[in-house]
Amino acid sequence: MQELHDKIREFGTVLPGDVLKVDAFLNHQVDPELMLHIGEEFAKLFKDEGVTKVWTVESSGIAPAVMTGLAMHVPVIFARKHKSLTLNDNMYVADVYSYTKKTNNRISISRKYVDKNDKVLLIDDFLANGQAVEGMMEIADQAGVEVAGAGIVIEKSFQPGGKELRDRGIRVESLAKIKSLSENGIEFEED
Ligand code: 5GP
C-alpha cells in the first residue's frame, strides 16, 4: 500500500531490537485518513470471507480495526490486556508475550460478545513473532469460532510470525512488509 509505505519512510524511526517506531501516525498520534484507507483495504481483501466480527488487541490495533469494522459493517472487539487476571467463567483468556515490552500479558475477550457462528478477522498493527495473533487464535479456538485470517498493517517479514502462520494455512494479508531495518534505512519487500 503506497500511502502506508510513504508514511513509514517519512516518519518511521528504527529503535534497537528491530523495533520500528511509528508514533507519528499509528501508535500514539493517529492519522485518521490513513486508518480509513487501511480499513477499506482490509475490507476489500477479506470481502468474500463472510466476516462477522473484527478482533484486535488493545491498544495499538484499535484504530485500524475500527476502520476495518466500519468498512465491513461489522462490530469490533478489542481484547483487553492485563498483567494478571484470574480465570473467570465470563471470559476467554490467552497468554501473550509482548515483543516490545518483553513481558507476558493475559488477553481476554468477554463471552458476552462472542457468538458461536462468528467468523472473525484478526487485525493488528505489527506482526513480529506472531504472539498477538496466536493469542487471538487461541481464544477463537476456545470459543469455537472460525478465523477468516489476519490483517496486519506492518509485517516485519525478517521475523518468523508471518511464515509460521502462513505455513499453518492461515491467510495473512500485510499492507506493508519490511525486509530489513537498520540505522541506514527501512527496506520493503517490494523494493
Ligand atoms: P508479535 O506478537 O507478532 O511478536 O508482535 C506484535 C505486537 O508487538 C504488536 O501488537 C505490536 O504492538 C508489537 N510490536 C512488534 N514489533 C513492533 C515494532 O517494530 N514496532 C512497534 N511499534 N510495535 C511492535
Side-chain angles (χ1 to χ4, degrees):
M1 189 182 172
Q2 193 56 49
E3 185 187 0
L4 176 61
H5 283 202
D6 293 346
K7 284 278 177 186
I8 295 170
R9 276 198 208 290
E10 189 175 356
F11 297 109
T13 53
V14 181
L15 300 182
D18 287 326
V19 171
L20 177 65
K21 192 169 176 193
V22 287
D23 277 24
F25 61 90
L26 179 58
N27 291 142
H28 187 37
Q29 175 168 257
V30 173
D31 180 332
E33 277 189 15
L34 175 64
M35 291 307 127
L36 180 64
H37 299 154
I38 284 171
E40 288 168 347
E41 193 64 26
F42 285 137
K44 199 157 73 182
L45 287 164
F46 287 96
K47 70 175 180 351
D48 298 324
E49 300 281 355
V51 171
T52 63
K53 270 174 203 148
V54 171
W55 285 8
T56 189
V57 178
E58 68 175 351
S59 55
S60 297
I62 296 176
V66 166
M67 291 307 191
T68 307
L70 179 68
M72 299 186 100
H73 307 286
V74 298
V76 179
I77 299 177
F78 60 90
R80 315 290 302 262
K81 272 184 196 160
H82 316 259
K83 275 271 162 294
S84 62
L85 175 79
T86 41
L87 296 182
N88 172 331
D89 283 351
N90 303 321
M91 304 279 205
Y92 296 110
V93 300
D95 289 322
V96 171
Y97 182 76
S98 160
Y99 180 84
T100 44
K101 303 209 168 70
K102 311 282 180 229
T103 54
N104 266 309
N105 278 306
R106 186 155 275 187
I107 62 166
S108 71
I109 288 182
S110 169
R111 287 173 189 263
K112 196 158 99 188
Y113 301 112
V114 179
D115 185 291
K116 63 174 178 0
N117 297 316
D118 275 338
K119 187 163 183 190
V120 297
L121 172 60
L122 313 176
I123 297 287
D124 208 5
D125 58 340
F126 275 89
L127 179 60
N129 292 324
Q131 290 278 303
V133 171
E134 292 281 0
M136 288 191 275
M137 288 190 15
E138 198 182 314
I139 289 181
D141 223 40
Q142 290 169 28
V145 304
E146 226 183 309
V147 172
I152 303 295
V153 181
I154 304 171
E155 175 177 348
K156 294 186 292 182
S157 44
F158 57 92
Q159 293 177 325
K163 183 177 182 319
E164 283 170 14
L165 291 168
R166 291 184 184 99
D167 283 352
R168 283 165 44 200
I170 314 295
R171 180 174 176 198
V172 181
E173 299 284 354
S174 303
L175 303 186
K177 282 192 192 151
I178 292 178
K179 190 155 59 172
S180 72
L181 283 178
S182 72
E183 296 129 42
N184 306 328
I186 300 162
E187 218 187 322
F188 292 96
E189 288 283 354
E190 301 80 34
D191 290 352

